[in-house]
Amino acid sequence: MGKHFGTDGVRGVAGTELTPQLAFRLGQAGAEVLGREHKRPVFVVGRDTRISGDMLEAALTAGILSAGGDVISAGIIPTPAVAYLARHYEASAGAVISASHNPFEYNGIKFFSGDGFKLDDSVEAEIEEILEKGCPGEPASGDEVGVRIDASREAADLYIDFLVESAGINLTGKKIVLDCANGAAYRVAPAVYTALGAEITVIGEEPDGININDDIGSTHPERLCETVKATGADIGLAFDGDADRLIAADENGNVVDGDRTICICAKMMKEEGRLAGNRVTATVMSNIGFHKFVKETLGADVDVTGVGDRYVLESMRKTGCAIGGEQSGHIIFLDRTTTGDGVLSSLELVKALYSSGKKMSELADEIEIFPQVLVNAKVTNEGKKAYSGDAEIQAAIAETEKKLEGNGRVLIRPSGTEPLVRVMLEGEDEAVIKPMAESLAAMISEKYR
């Protein structure tokens, strides 16, 4: 990746790292690169609920308009909605202002192509090159200046209709808890489940600009689990700030992560004849139990990619695989849409639940998950790369792998979006692997923080 683009667009602390000036230049550069096939490129722009969203949307929009592009403003709306709307409006591209699951002070900008897919690395590199050179060219003037169209109300309705139609189920009388993370799904998700007849309890539906992901949502499912138990719901469904992730809870208030959700949905898809190529795509972070279930229970193959939903998607497009994703809850149903979609994923999981005639806990228990410990080592941005060449750290990793003696694994990787190195250990006994992971993380953090 370049100086500005990470694994999921351009991110940073809003106002200091991701400045309005940078957002303006991104709009100009994006319009030049993504609008080359159109004299007047059209961008669908959406954002989440962060307080900095207005500022960055105004700057990004101004950049696009100054480069002669038009903007269809979709307002506060999930990231996958922008991908869908780019296709619906036959736009040149889509742009999302969001930092996903990160705290409110962060924000980000990422682009989709006109067909709703995340940009290839080569296209991002072109935008990066223009940013490095400065202004991409003479600004538009006269009747060449772009215009902004406010389509926020229509855009949400279009996306809600798409999800309801895609679900194809009747949830009358079904008790479901929704956790919208005080983020982009706070209107859309309840509207979808209400339209399908579900009896819903909603939390995380009161965004104030700074409470997005704050002890709520897919990265903090504790309140979801408590609410499911308190209400006697059949299932709980939590999204992240931009609603491209899903983490669920069973009727007992136990977390059902992305690995289990993919397995449950893949089983349903096989029964429906939708499991294209008899394969599932996952990342190196997927649990050993995930692989056992897909191979032994489903009799299917697993394609393994690097961490990041963009790499999962790249593999799926090459192989024709219909379902893939990450343990974190990024799940892609390529026969339904073009990117990870938390609400759509939740509908597929709910469909699998009620069509099975079983409880959510029973479906989840069919997949044996091996204990897995993830510890984040805080480092500098330079340290994210430097640790891998450190002889002392590599020796400690080798020693840890030897202790596991083939009954587990060590996976260490830099975060693509934060100044962290993620240390993951998997094995048969959490009490054994947890201190190992903590020790490695402490060593990395002490040397490179």
Side-chain angles (χ1 to χ4, degrees), residues 26 30-31 34-35 41-46 60 64 70-72 74 79-87 89-97 109-119 127:
L26 271 168
L34 298 172
V42 177
F43 282 70
V44 176
V45 177
L60 178 71
I64 295 169
D70 292 338
V71 168
I72 298 173
T79 286
V82 173
Y84 167 74
L85 292 166
R87 302 193 307 276
Y89 287 120
E90 297 183 350
S92 309
V96 178
I97 301 161
I109 296 173
K110 57 186 171 186
F111 293 105
F112 288 97
S113 61
D115 57 4
F117 290 102
K118 288 186 177 181
L119 299 186
I127 297 174

Side-chain angles (χ1 to χ4, degrees), residues 49 53 84 95 262 362 371 376:
T49 57
Y84 167 74
I262 295 169
E362 294 174 319
N376 290 325

Side-chain angles (χ1 to χ4, degrees), residues 329-344:
H330 274 123
I331 305 172
I332 302 167
F333 292 84
L334 201 52
D335 62 339
R336 295 284 192 253
T337 190
T338 58
T339 190
D341 187 325
V343 182
L344 188 146

Side-chain angles (χ1 to χ4, degrees), residues 59-394:
L60 178 71
T61 297
I64 295 169
L65 303 186
S66 74
D70 292 338
V71 168
I72 298 173
S73 177
I76 293 173
I77 203 161
T79 286
V82 173
Y84 167 74
L85 292 166
R87 302 193 307 276
H88 175 83
Y89 287 120
E90 297 183 350
S92 309
V96 178
I97 301 161
S98 173
S100 188
H101 61 285
N102 294 122
F104 85 93
E105 61 266 27
Y106 290 87
N107 218 323
I109 296 173
K110 57 186 171 186
F111 293 105
F112 288 97
S113 61
D115 57 4
F117 290 102
K118 288 186 177 181
L119 299 186
D120 291 337
D121 290 348
S122 61
V123 179
E124 288 189 347
E126 288 187 71
I127 297 174
E128 185 88 45
E129 184 178 356
I130 292 173
L131 285 175
E132 289 300 295
K133 289 180 179 178
C135 182
E138 291 295 322
S141 62
D143 62 0
E144 293 180 349
V145 174
V147 297
R148 173 186 175 274
I149 301 167
D150 183 358
S152 54
R153 182 166 298 182
E154 175 192 69
D157 288 343
L158 285 169
Y159 180 57
I160 290 166
D161 289 346
F162 158 71
L163 290 172
V164 171
E165 183 179 348
S166 175
I169 51 178
N170 186 326
L171 299 178
T172 300
K174 307 300 185 184
K175 298 183 69 174
I176 297 171
V177 176
L178 302 176
D179 178 352
C180 299
N182 292 316
Y186 83 102
R187 291 173 180 162
V188 166
V192 169
Y193 277 90
T194 298
L196 292 171
E199 180 183 331
I200 60 172
T201 300
V202 187
I203 59 176
E205 81 281 25
E206 298 180 347
D208 61 11
I210 63 174
N211 62 359
I212 185 171
N213 301 316
D214 187 11
D215 290 327
I216 202 162
S218 64
T219 52
H220 301 281
E222 297 81 11
R223 278 189 61 192
L224 175 74
C225 295
E226 292 170 1
T227 306
V228 168
K229 288 191 292 183
T231 59
D234 304 320
I235 189 172
L237 306 161
F239 314 109
D240 64 336
D242 69 335
D244 64 355
R245 295 189 190 197
L246 166 71
I247 292 294
D250 69 20
E251 76 283 359
N252 299 316
N254 297 313
V255 171
V256 179
D257 68 5
D259 277 353
R260 278 194 159 116
T261 295
I262 295 169
C263 287
I264 292 166
C265 291
K267 182 179 179 182
M268 175 188 69
M269 292 172 71
K270 182 158 186 174
E271 292 169 352
E272 294 177 342
R274 291 170 53 203
L275 196 65
N278 199 36
R279 62 198 320 122
V280 178
T281 306
T283 76
V284 292
M285 292 294 289
S286 291
N287 195 274
I288 294 173
F290 171 95
H291 289 266
K292 289 185 65 177
F293 181 85
V294 173
K295 293 176 182 178
E296 297 175 11
T297 302
L298 300 186
D301 296 321
V302 179
D303 296 322
V304 180
T305 76
V307 174
D309 62 314
R310 66 184 298 127
Y311 304 116
V312 172
L313 179 58
E314 285 175 8
S315 175
M316 292 175 69
R317 294 183 72 183
K318 289 177 183 177
T319 64
C321 178
I323 181 172
E326 300 183 277
Q327 193 179 66
S328 63
H330 274 123
I331 305 172
I332 302 167
F333 292 84
L334 201 52
D335 62 339
R336 295 284 192 253
T337 190
T338 58
T339 190
D341 187 325
V343 182
L344 188 146
S345 297
S346 75
L347 293 168
E348 290 286 328
L349 180 61
V350 165
K351 180 181 176 182
L353 168 64
Y354 292 122
S355 64
S356 73
K358 298 180 179 180
K359 294 181 179 180
M360 190 67 240
S361 60
E362 294 174 319
L363 290 181
D365 285 345
E366 292 178 5
I367 305 103
E368 179 188 7
I369 296 296
F370 284 57
Q372 198 175 62
V373 174
L374 177 65
V375 181
N376 290 325
K378 293 184 179 180
V379 296
T380 62
N381 282 321
E382 294 76 18
K384 291 202 310 186
K385 295 181 180 179
Y387 85 92
S388 62
D390 189 299
E392 183 181 3
I393 291 174
Q394 294 306 310

